[in-house]
Amino acid sequence: MEPIAHIRSDFSSKFGVPRQAGLVAELRATVVFEPPYRVPEALRGIEGFSHLWLIWEFSMNKRDGWSPTVRPPRLGGNRRVGVFATRSPFRPNPIGLSCVKLEGVEPDTPDGPVLHISGADLVDGTPVFDIKPYIPYADCRPEAVGGFAGAAPERVVEVNIPPELLARVPENRRTALTGVLAQDPRPSYQDASERVYGFGFAGLEVRFRVGNGVLTVVDIANA
């Protein structure tokens, strides 16, 4: 397979990216097609769908070999389960699947037609192998059972961003950044209140620490 498109997003690395699509609805990204696929006819009718499935590559998790079991963060990183019972990026084939909201189609840009999406859990530059419409009558299963991931993550924290630091973030990115931080980007097995963590977002380096259920941003600087 070869990529048909790449993602443009605010995340320069995988740290900080929400653990599932749709957890931070305010996050915006763009699907930019590769030159052979910059064909408007290929998108004809797509605007009639509210959501899309993206099939993409875990391009930052390539490694030789694979393990039949993994330690999902959802279980604290201490319990092993079968790789096919998880959405771990460490798989025999590094393929990811995300359901995103289609915000709009921009038909005429310097990069050809592009798709504007929201709720994406994707690093900037992620290769996309295919795009398929989300079809509610077939894809929605209200009776589905979610196993050990049956409910939304409980590790949500209060976010404290000093006003002078928040002012360094573009206004149209502030709500999304707050939503990302509220999900607590730290690995679930790490809980050191004195440790400072950081990740790249919208061309900035965001540094924070967490203690007593409050995430406090300590610095925001140009990356």
Side-chain angles (χ1 to χ4, degrees):
M1 294 191 296
E2 61 179 19
I4 63 163
H6 285 76
I7 293 294
R8 284 184 186 160
S9 79
D10 286 325
F11 293 102
S12 58
S13 65
K14 60 185 180 180
F15 187 86
V17 175
R19 295 180 178 91
Q20 298 290 341
L23 288 179
V24 183
E26 297 83 3
L27 281 173
R28 297 293 188 266
T30 305
V31 179
V32 180
F33 291 90
E34 294 297 301
Y37 304 100
R38 293 176 181 175
V39 182
E41 288 78 10
L43 299 177
R44 186 183 299 162
I46 200 170
E47 68 280 356
F49 297 92
S50 65
H51 291 73
L52 303 172
W53 289 108
L54 303 183
I55 301 170
W56 47 277
E57 180 183 26
F58 285 107
S59 53
M60 292 190 171
N61 291 88
K62 292 182 179 179
R63 57 171 60 181
D64 294 330
W66 68 286
S67 172
T69 61
V70 296
R71 294 187 175 98
R74 188 62 178 272
L75 297 176
N78 298 313
R79 174 183 163 193
R80 284 192 171 274
V81 297
V83 64
F84 300 129
T86 76
R87 297 192 181 188
S88 167
F90 303 105
R91 322 187 65 77
N93 293 304
I95 295 173
L97 179 69
S98 294
C99 181
V100 298
K101 184 177 180 181
L102 177 61
E103 295 290 346
V105 181
E106 191 172 359
D108 188 15
T109 79
D111 297 312
V114 301
L115 303 178
H116 297 288
I117 59 175
S118 63
D121 55 339
L122 299 164
V123 177
D124 187 59
T126 296
V128 177
F129 290 129
D130 203 0
I131 300 168
K132 298 178 185 292
Y134 177 95
I135 301 175
Y137 80 83
D139 296 342
C140 181
R141 290 287 184 265
E143 75 281 8
V145 176
F148 63 80
E154 296 180 358
R155 188 167 167 172
V156 177
V157 295
E158 178 185 343
V159 177
N160 174 30
I161 308 178
E164 65 274 15
L165 296 181
L166 186 61
R168 301 176 187 177
V169 181
E171 189 171 356
N172 65 347
R173 296 291 198 275
R174 293 174 188 174
T175 302
L177 174 60
T178 302
V180 169
L181 293 171
Q183 295 293 323
D184 194 350
R186 299 174 302 163
S188 57
Y189 51 85
Q190 292 186 7
D191 196 24
S193 60
E194 72 282 357
R195 179 170 177 176
V196 175
Y197 299 84
F199 65 94
F201 181 82
L204 302 167
E205 180 71 16
V206 180
R207 297 173 62 79
F208 67 91
R209 61 166 55 98
V210 183
N212 297 320
V214 178
L215 183 151
T216 300
V217 175
V218 299
D219 191 31
I220 297 178
N222 290 328

